[in-house]
Amino acid sequence: MNTSTLFKGRDVADVITQCVDEEMLTVSWVEWLPRFFVAGIMLFLMLLILGYLIDSFICHKEEPPTLCYRNSLLSKYLLKKCERLRQPYHPNVFLRNRHIQTLLSLVIRPIHCRFDRTYLQMKDKGVIALDWFIGERNRDIAACLNIILIIPRILGNALSVHGACTEASNLGYSAVVFNRRGQGGSELTTPLVKPYSDHTDLGQVVAYLKDMFPNATITAISYGLGSGCLLSYLGEYGSSAKITTAVCISPVYDAKEVLRSGIRKPYSWLLLWRLKQILRRHASAFERVLDVQNVCQSNDLLEYDYRISECNGYSNFDSYWEENNPFRDVDDIATPMLFINSLDDPVCTKDTIAFDLFKAYPNFILCLTKYGGHCGFLENMFQTTSTWAESLAIQYIRASLNFIWHEKRINLHLNNHRR
């Protein structure tokens, strides 16, 4: 073949030079690719920081939480003494997304955290685990006169509420975490899955604490669906309840309606998957009373609850929810309570919040924030201390106890004066 014909008159040296130049360009692009990647990341971070600074110091002005309550001596005192009720909740720009707040609250864990576990046997031979927080200031639990009973969200454990435990311990309180049957790493000894709002185990735990520490004041903090059993207990026992004051963080006011309308994905998937996982873990305990495989084939939370209600002895699903509505005895709740919700909660949406409750009952206060997600209320991305809501909860408990102590002292003085 004629070389001159192949290259059509072009010089061979020119062709070779062109090929070499193209190869050099290709190699040069590969070498520069990591640098472009790093530069892109740096530019993205700079834009985020710039947006954060502009949002924080120029554009963004947070307002204090919206409060809903009925005027009373208690509410006036608490609004005066609880500074956080009057101060804005100001999360950084990265945490003004409901999903980031909610998901981060599920994964953030403390660096160092210690608990001592106590197992209690219930009247029906079921076992409950209590985790006592070991802090720096209250190692002698028996000597403590103030106990905060903490009830995590439905699938939470002691580590998920470490912020409240730490905050309580720093103020000299003893914090103890209530684990539902079969949760928190404990074994399920009875073929029974308690409904969200069943208070029988909690009632026995409160009675145990009062027997062990007769001079101690017992208060409570609950999260999410974990608030159901607390509200049921307070409504059932009324003025005889042994819990002096309580706080509910992101409570679900109508669990049946929330499940019926459907919790947003992926939260419904995550919750259903974890419930099935717990059920499979304790499958041997249900061999004679429940078809675990059938329950685990449920496609949504409402169907799961319908199938699981069979092992609780309910004749139909309506009676199951009627007896486990946490607000069924709300008229009898005599305990001062603070409810903390966010408007952007993806689980308990603002449409499900029972605003009428706080206009009717003088011992209830609702604190409503713009941001916070579900059980989130983080103020920065890598927060390992107490959240804004947990700090408010401890502050509220402290102020409530001071008010109750002050009222008792006045009543005692008046009674002595009359004599």
Side-chain angles (χ1 to χ4, degrees), residues 175-303:
V176 57
V177 181
F178 169 81
N179 294 283
R180 290 173 175 270
R181 297 191 183 197
Q183 297 188 20
S186 61
E187 293 298 325
L188 190 65
T189 59
T190 55
L192 185 63
V193 177
K194 290 285 188 178
Y196 306 125
S197 303
D198 187 280
H199 64 81
T200 52
D201 289 345
L202 179 62
Q204 293 180 63
V205 168
V206 173
Y208 161 79
L209 293 176
K210 201 60 182 176
D211 289 340
M212 291 295 296
F213 312 100
N215 296 322
T217 299
I218 302 174
T219 58
I221 300 175
S222 62
Y223 296 73
L225 283 171
S227 300
C229 62
L230 174 61
L231 290 164
S232 293
Y233 167 79
L234 295 175
E236 178 72 21
Y237 287 87
S239 58
S240 300
K242 295 180 174 64
I243 292 179
T244 306
T245 186
V247 179
C248 296
I249 299 176
S250 297
V252 177
Y253 295 87
D254 191 341
K256 182 181 180 181
E257 182 60 31
V258 169
L259 294 178
R260 178 175 290 173
S261 59
I263 297 177
R264 296 186 180 186
K265 299 178 177 61
Y267 308 110
S268 60
W269 294 341
L270 179 61
L271 179 56
L272 184 60
W273 174 73
R274 285 289 292 121
L275 288 171
K276 290 179 181 180
Q277 192 179 44
I278 293 175
L279 196 62
R280 290 191 181 100
R281 179 172 174 261
H282 303 290
S284 59
F286 294 96
E287 286 180 346
R288 298 182 180 180
V289 297
L290 186 68
D291 186 348
V292 173
Q293 188 62 32
N294 180 50
V295 176
C296 289
Q297 290 176 355
S298 303
N299 296 315
D300 55 53
L301 290 168
L302 195 63
E303 184 180 359

Side-chain angles (χ1 to χ4, degrees), residues 379-395:
E379 295 177 276
N380 58 72
M381 293 288 287
F382 305 102
Q383 188 166 344
T384 56
T385 56
S386 59
T387 66
W388 181 88
E390 290 171 334
S391 296
L392 172 58
I394 302 298
Q395 191 177 90

